[in-house]
Amino acid sequence: MSEFTHRPVLLDECIEALNIRSGGIYLDGTLGRAGHSREIVKRLTTGRLICVDRDQAALDAARERLAPWLDRVELVHSNFDRVDEILDSLSMPAADGMLFDLGVSSPQLDDGSRGFSYMADAPLDMRMDQGEGLTAAGVVNGWSQEELRRVISQYGEERFAPQIAGAIVRRRGDKPIETTLELVEVIKSAMPAKALREKQHPAKRTFQAIRIAVNDELASVERMLQRAVPRLNRGGRLAVITFHSLEDRIVKTGLAGFAKGCTCPPDFPVCVCGKTPDIRLVNKKPILPSQREIEENPRARSAKLRAAEKL
Ligand SMILES: C[S@@+](CC[C@H](N)C(=O)[O-])C[C@H]1O[C@@H](n2cnc3c(N)ncnc32)[C@H](O)[C@@H]1O
């Protein structure tokens, strides 16, 4: 799909959730191919858009895609879990809206050499930020069998995690596992024939798990929420798109914590904590893509958008 026909996930819903003011300050924490950013920046006049990605390749490509609006844009190579430091470095105390469209981008998956895909042979890398030290090869060849089992089970929700972790450790005892297709072959060798015939690719869940571990994705989302909410202006909006239940649970629980008022035990006669809600949830239930969007873009199938407004 060309970049001009590519439609970002839940685009209209995100734009509505962000409630954009033309003079406001916005932050897109997951620039990717700038699909959402283009639509945000078009709506700004005196406002500014801070575009963050931990992948330098995304920032380089976005410079072209955002060319007509570069006077309103700041491109920042960083992890979105440093959202507070990013705003500090730009002398911006707070933002009026922040968007996080989690996970990997299509260009990262499509570039076989990055090692995210179980369909293309490449060195086992999977780093979103290629300046970071830990690669997928480091996880696969260096982590203990128990750590591998836990990661594949928890982050991949893979029922054959013990068998796959065992097969990885046996294989690397002969020689290190170096490429994506070698890993696919080891994963398949650990699964029963029936599981190999399922619709989903047998390596999908294990690859997701290792990618999450390499990029420390879940902890980044938790840190981001804790640092983003305090840096929203009153009335400012936070919008987060998740793609699997692990991420969604973190976002749902994190937002619920900020939306909660008093935390005193229920048997206290009066409140002593004095806590008041920091945000209100814009929608009680997550916003899901329409059937039409899913047909046009199967990647949207598991997307969930949660939005909150700062009080
Ligand atoms: C799903 S894509 C975003 C697509 C984008 N919204 C669009 O429409 O083109 C996710 C992007 O976020 C980046 N990313 C993921 N986790 C990140 C993090 N913790 N900090 C900064 N960028 C991150 C990835 O490198 C990837 O480019």
Side-chain angles (χ1 to χ4, degrees):
M1 205 186 280
S2 95
E3 66 178 270
F4 297 107
T5 55
H6 161 80
R7 192 169 170 78
V9 172
L10 289 164
L11 179 61
D12 296 339
E13 293 83 351
C14 284
I15 296 298
E16 196 184 326
L18 288 171
N19 200 16
I20 298 170
R21 291 189 300 102
S22 60
I25 292 177
Y26 293 86
L27 182 141
D28 179 351
T30 49
L31 173 66
R33 64 166 96 186
H36 291 95
S37 272
R38 278 167 69 106
E39 292 305 315
I40 297 170
V41 77
K42 276 180 197 169
R43 289 166 170 77
L44 303 181
T45 51
T46 55
R48 305 208 48 85
L49 175 63
I50 306 159
C51 298
V52 181
D53 206 294
R54 65 197 289 194
D55 185 348
Q56 186 59 45
L59 294 156
D60 294 342
R63 213 175 286 282
E64 221 172 283
R65 292 187 192 125
L66 296 173
W69 307 279
L70 280 180
D71 57 337
R72 279 159 251 186
V73 168
E74 298 286 347
L75 295 169
V76 182
H77 182 219
S78 186
N79 190 316
F80 59 52
D81 70 1
R82 297 198 199 110
V83 59
D84 48 352
E85 289 170 32
I86 295 168
L87 289 169
D88 287 346
S89 71
L90 297 167
S91 305
M92 292 178 178
D96 298 292
M98 300 191 199
L99 170 69
F100 301 91
D101 173 16
L102 303 179
V104 273
S105 66
S106 309
Q108 287 167 335
L109 285 170
D110 294 346
D111 179 350
S113 71
R114 299 288 299 267
F116 288 105
S117 171
Y118 42 76
M119 309 293 273
D121 203 14
L124 271 176
D125 190 322
M126 299 197 201
R127 287 171 300 172
M128 289 186 194
D129 179 348
Q130 291 182 297
E132 297 270 346
L134 183 65
T135 63
V139 171
V140 167
N141 295 301
W143 287 18
S144 71
Q145 182 166 339
E146 174 48 26
E147 279 175 306
L148 288 170
R149 186 206 58 75
R150 183 188 60 79
V151 160
I152 297 169
S153 168
Q154 280 180 12
Y155 301 167
E157 300 181 286
E158 168 61 69
R159 64 192 190 283
F160 299 109
Q163 292 87 335
I164 294 170
I168 289 174
V169 169
R170 278 194 302 282
R171 180 66 62 92
R172 75 187 191 198
D174 296 336
K175 72 167 206 43
I177 302 169
E178 277 162 1
T179 70
T180 47
L181 292 193
E182 266 179 84
L183 179 60
V184 169
E185 199 255 304
V186 176
I187 294 167
K188 282 176 153 179
S189 75
M191 295 169 87
K194 193 158 165 256
L196 297 178
R197 290 195 294 272
E198 285 171 10
K199 201 166 147 221
Q200 215 174 48
H201 191 286
K204 184 172 184 215
R205 290 176 297 270
T206 303
F207 267 60
Q208 170 183 298
I210 294 171
R211 189 202 86 208
I212 290 175
V214 167
N215 296 290
D216 195 19
E217 291 180 34
L218 302 180
S220 295
V221 174
E222 271 185 30
R223 286 191 292 265
M224 173 277 283
L225 285 175
Q226 296 310 317
R227 292 169 185 170
V229 171
R231 301 298 290 263
L232 278 171
N233 282 323
R234 183 172 291 202
R237 296 282 183 95
L238 174 73
V240 189
I241 306 176
T242 63
F243 287 90
H244 53 78
S245 56
L246 303 164
E247 281 171 352
D248 187 55
R249 207 172 306 139
I250 291 171
V251 175
K252 183 180 170 182
T253 316
L255 293 183
F258 281 111
K260 201 167 147 52
C262 167
T263 53
C264 293
D267 56 341
F268 274 30
V270 288
C271 169
V272 292
C273 74
K275 186 178 175 309
T276 53
D278 297 294
I279 56 166
R280 75 170 183 90
L281 303 179
V282 175
N283 304 88
K284 289 272 172 293
K285 294 225 153 102
I287 299 165
L288 307 179
S290 64
Q291 197 51 41
R292 178 152 176 226
E293 176 168 2
I294 295 170
E295 275 157 26
E296 285 171 6
N297 177 14
R299 191 178 172 261
R301 195 178 48 239
S302 47
K304 285 185 181 171
L305 169 65
R306 294 186 186 270
E309 182 176 289
K310 185 80 181 283
L311 296 172

